[in-house]
């Protein structure tokens, strides 16, 4: 599985988490791998568990750069994409921030309406600027 496929798998797992929050993240992750017959993957485990563990901090970064939009006002898909990409930008030094942003936009094009990619791109670029990731 390449990184793009792994990222999309993590996106779907994080989205599903919205509907099964009572289960532990570790149990959910293990069950998902088993049901989907996926191999254990360090990137997927780190990002999935990392997003969940850092959700409040990620949401604060997103809201801080989203000009009047609360997390609750965003669709579950948009929230999930933003959290995933923000986590990658802030916690995965092996992934350049611009790759995380581009991949988030591609996920939005696939799973959201036509306005979402620009919205997501704007927020993520603002986060990258605010966090000093852009040169």
């Amino acid at each position: 599985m390449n990184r793009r496929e792994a990222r999309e798998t993590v996106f779907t797992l994080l989205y599903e988490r919205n509907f099964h929050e009572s289960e532990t993240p570790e149990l959910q992750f293990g069950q998902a791998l088993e049901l989907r017959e996926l191999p254990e993957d360090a990137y997927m485990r780190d990002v999935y568990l990392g997003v969940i563990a850092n959700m409040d901090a990620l949401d604060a970064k997103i809201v801080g750069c989203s000009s009047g939009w609360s997390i609750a006002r965003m669709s579950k898909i948009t929230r999930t994409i933003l959290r995933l990409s923000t986590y990658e930008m802030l916690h995965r030094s092996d992934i350049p921030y611009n790759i995380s942003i581009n991949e988030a936009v591609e996920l939005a094009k696939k799973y959201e309406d036509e306005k979402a990619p620009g919205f997501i791109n704007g927020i993520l670029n603002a986060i990258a600027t605010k966090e000093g990731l852009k040169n």
Side-chain angles (χ1 to χ4, degrees):
M1 173 180 305
N2 65 37
R3 180 61 59 89
R4 178 172 273 185
E5 293 167 336
R7 184 179 286 108
E8 188 168 356
T9 298
V10 171
F11 161 73
T12 61
L13 295 176
L14 289 167
Y15 180 76
E16 290 171 10
R17 176 98 180 131
N18 288 299
F19 307 101
H20 303 283
E21 293 178 342
S22 63
E23 297 174 11
T24 67
E26 294 82 6
L27 176 64
Q28 220 171 22
F29 183 78
Q31 288 175 336
L33 292 183
E34 187 177 320
L35 289 171
R36 290 173 171 85
E37 298 179 354
L38 297 170
E40 178 68 34
D41 182 273
Y43 162 83
M44 290 191 333
R45 176 176 288 282
D46 173 67
V47 175
Y48 177 76
L49 297 175
V51 168
I52 294 167
N54 293 283
M55 188 95 55
D56 291 339
L58 296 172
D59 288 354
K61 298 279 186 195
I62 293 164
V63 168
C65 292
S66 61
S67 301
W69 283 76
S70 68
I71 285 291
R73 189 173 169 208
M74 297 174 195
S75 75
K76 285 179 172 59
I77 292 171
T78 292
R79 267 186 289 198
T80 302
I81 293 169
L82 286 168
R83 288 169 175 163
L84 170 59
S85 185
T86 302
Y87 180 83
E88 281 187 347
M89 290 192 304
L90 300 178
H91 297 278
R92 295 290 304 215
S93 60
D94 60 322
I95 303 170
Y97 78 89
N98 57 327
I99 299 296
S100 292
I101 293 172
N102 183 62
E103 292 295 320
V105 169
E106 292 303 314
L107 284 170
K109 287 177 182 177
K110 185 171 181 178
Y111 292 101
E112 268 287 17
D113 67 33
E114 67 276 353
K115 293 180 183 177
F119 178 75
I120 287 170
N121 186 53
I123 292 172
L124 293 175
N125 271 297
I127 291 170
T129 299
K130 192 173 188 178
E131 294 298 315
L133 301 174
K134 291 184 164 188
N135 293 338

